[in-house]
Amino acid sequence: MAFWNRRRSIDAMLKPHDGPRLKATLSWPHLMALGVGAIVGTGILTLIGVGAGLAGPAVLVSFVLAGAVCACAALAYAELSTMMPAAGSAYTYSYAVLGEMIAWVVGWSLILEYSLVVSAVAVGWSGYAVGFLSGLGVDLPTALTAGPHAGGIINLPAVAIIGVVTGLLLLGTKESATLNAVLVVIKIAALAVFVAIALPAFEAENFTPFMPNGFGAPFVQTGVMAAAAIIFFAFYGFDAISTAAEETKKPERDLAIGIVGSMLICTALYLLVAAAAIGARPVASFADSPEPLALILRELGQGTAAQWIAAAAVIALPTVLLAFLFGQSRIFLGMARDGLLPRRLARVSARGVPAVVTLFTAVVVAILAGLLPLDELASLANAGTLAAFCAVGVSLVVLRLREPERPRVFKAPLWPLVGAITVIGCIVFFFSLKANTQMGFLIWNLIGVAIYLIWSSRNSRLAKGEEEAA
């Protein structure tokens, strides 16, 4: 078998190994809270304005399209994660099904995704934090609250919140997951309050014209499809659950519940919040705001409620940071264990946490968050996610055809359709992203392939015969 398509054996993957293991401390409520915490964040609290600016009121259709593709991807993840409950998510599944080189590209794309998601959410959190403090009469200087693109020097609040969340993760998985669950309740309560206040101000004329920029198509950077490609950012996060497979007490049951359950909850919540926001105020009034929901409430004369929404965002948005920093460190851990990254990165602390990769990741994402704008970060993160989701859709179909008799605790219904929608939807969304985003993604992966060919392909455990290949 050539080096580029050698595959890890699923059976060998599931055998106990002698290396450091993560502690199994999580159950399905923790996983569902992790998923909801990751999904409900900057996407609905901030990017709803960006999406509405591209699609107008038809951003609701964008939410449905992005949600449908993500729902199919979630079903694929649920099946594969219960078959291969190991740290690594889409990277691990690709390694077992599609081969080492594709797995490297997927893992490299996931590094891009998770790093930029954390950075983007930190920037979104900063927008709400600055607005909240301003409401209290504390005005921070622009030089310390914005990157060079916005006339500042560094977005210091974004850097600070990444430091705080990193500290929580280093305390231990169960401790951080419990705090995450509390913050998720606060976040959902805040969105429920927004809907309760905004719905009575609902005006149907705000939905006219419904689709001012048309439906759009690949390579067209306005319209429903372009908004869906950006809003896609608002839905993913359930994949962070699959990175917790090794730390789950009963992965054969709890992973599927966490992944599918969190997607159902968040899809319903998103549509309700988006409809309430557009019905309450014309899209143009909040399309460019870094804190659109709080702005809508202020324009409705609900200044106190707006301040509470901003406070809830400041308190609860870190759940997204926690989920994705958690996931990023586990992706690094899986790749390091396999020898595709330096193995010293796989060290696990006495608290059962991969401390080295967690700290390394925090430094990288803090630099990105301090210097880059939200929309660019979100767009490039989407590109990495789309690549990973596409690989998961392909892996689902290939494994069903190659090993139809292998036991499956959770089976994705209508798997050919689920796989096809996942793959085709991700490809269409990718080509609906900005041209510079596509180019940035291509450059990132060309660098990754070069690293693989020069170093990783020669140092992997399969290359050295340390593990059974498929």
Side-chain angles (χ1 to χ4, degrees):
M1 185 178 294
F3 75 89
W4 57 270
N5 69 345
R6 56 195 172 207
R7 293 181 282 112
R8 290 190 68 192
S9 164
I10 295 177
D11 294 325
M13 182 193 309
L14 298 179
K15 290 179 182 177
H17 60 79
D18 297 329
R21 287 190 61 84
L22 302 173
K23 294 180 181 179
T25 58
L26 305 178
S27 54
W28 70 263
H30 293 114
L31 296 178
M32 192 172 289
L34 183 69
V36 174
I39 298 169
V40 179
T42 299
I44 191 64
L45 291 170
T46 301
L47 285 181
I48 183 175
V50 177
L54 292 171
V59 71
L60 288 174
V61 179
S62 302
F63 271 108
V64 171
L65 291 174
V69 174
C70 283
C72 289
L75 292 172
Y77 265 97
E79 177 169 319
L80 294 174
S81 65
T82 52
M83 292 178 69
M84 294 173 266
S89 185
Y91 155 76
T92 297
Y93 317 146
S94 299
Y95 209 161
V97 181
L98 304 177
E100 186 175 276
M101 188 168 182
I102 293 179
W104 168 266
V105 171
V106 170
W108 193 246
S109 297
L110 284 170
I111 289 172
L112 179 72
E113 170 202 344
Y114 280 53
S115 299
L116 294 182
V117 166
V118 173
S119 303
V121 172
V123 173
W125 178 88
S126 176
Y128 272 93
V130 171
F132 174 70
L133 290 174
S134 180
L136 296 177
V138 179
D139 293 313
L140 299 177
T142 302
L144 299 180
T145 59
H149 65 280
I153 298 174
I154 188 171
N155 193 327
L156 202 55
V159 174
I161 193 59
I162 289 172
V164 171
V165 172
T166 301
L168 289 174
L169 283 173
L170 293 175
L171 287 176
T173 299
K174 185 174 182 179
E175 292 80 0
S176 56
T178 301
L179 177 61
N180 176 72
V182 174
L183 297 180
V184 164
V185 171
I186 294 173
K187 187 159 51 178
I188 291 178
L191 292 177
V193 169
F194 171 80
V195 171
I197 294 174
L199 276 182
F202 189 94
E203 295 183 10
E205 54 265 31
N206 289 339
F207 286 84
T208 304
F210 184 67
M211 201 178 292
N213 298 321
F215 190 79
F219 305 106
V220 177
Q221 295 174 12
T222 58
V224 171
M225 288 301 298
I230 288 292
I231 283 173
F232 188 80
F233 181 94
F235 279 96
Y236 60 78
F238 61 83
D239 55 323
I241 297 174
S242 65
T243 67
E246 190 175 314
E247 293 152 280
T248 302
K249 295 177 182 178
K250 295 182 178 180
E252 69 280 0
R253 179 198 67 181
D254 295 346
L255 287 170
I257 294 174
I259 291 170
V260 177
S262 60
M263 267 299 298
L264 290 175
I265 291 171
C266 294
T267 300
L269 189 62
Y270 275 13
L271 289 173
L272 188 58
V273 171
I278 296 168
R281 297 294 300 164
V283 165
S285 69
F286 63 86
D288 297 324
S289 173
E291 43 164 2
L293 301 189
L295 175 65
I296 289 169
L297 292 181
R298 281 196 291 271
E299 291 190 349
L300 292 176
Q302 299 287 341
T304 301
Q307 191 70 354
W308 279 109
I309 289 289
V314 169
I315 294 170
L317 263 181
T319 60
V320 186
L321 299 176
L322 188 148
F324 278 94
L325 269 175
F326 174 95
Q328 170 70 300
S329 63
R330 273 59 180 177
I331 300 295
F332 267 124
L333 180 69
M335 296 177 77
R337 280 177 174 173
D338 294 336
L340 296 177
L341 291 174
R343 297 193 192 187
R344 60 180 174 273
L345 292 177
R347 292 174 185 166
V348 175
S349 73
R351 302 186 70 90
V353 176
V356 176
V357 294
T358 300
L359 288 170
F360 173 76
T361 302
V363 171
V364 172
V365 299
I367 292 171
L368 294 173
L371 301 176
L372 298 179
L374 173 62
D375 57 343
E376 292 296 331
L377 289 169
S379 186
L380 196 51
N382 281 0
T385 308
L386 290 166
F389 282 13
C390 190
V392 170
V394 172
S395 295
L396 171 74
V397 174
V398 170
L399 200 56
R400 282 287 191 125
L401 295 174
R402 182 191 293 156
E403 300 184 49
E405 301 305 318
R406 180 173 285 277
R408 289 168 170 82
V409 179
F410 176 86
K411 292 185 177 181
L414 302 172
W415 61 268
L417 184 61
V418 166
I421 291 175
T422 301
V423 173
I424 295 170
C426 288
I427 292 172
V428 171
F429 284 161
F430 179 81
F431 287 109
S432 297
L433 293 170
K434 296 177 182 178
N436 62 337
T437 298
Q438 297 170 21
M439 183 57 65
F441 177 75
L442 176 62
I443 293 171
W444 171 259
N445 275 293
L446 286 175
I447 294 170
V449 169
I451 293 172
Y452 172 77
L453 293 175
I454 294 170
W455 191 88
S456 300
S457 63
R458 302 175 186 179
N459 289 278
S460 74
R461 294 182 66 181
L462 292 184
K464 295 185 175 182
E466 296 179 22
E467 184 177 305
E468 177 186 343

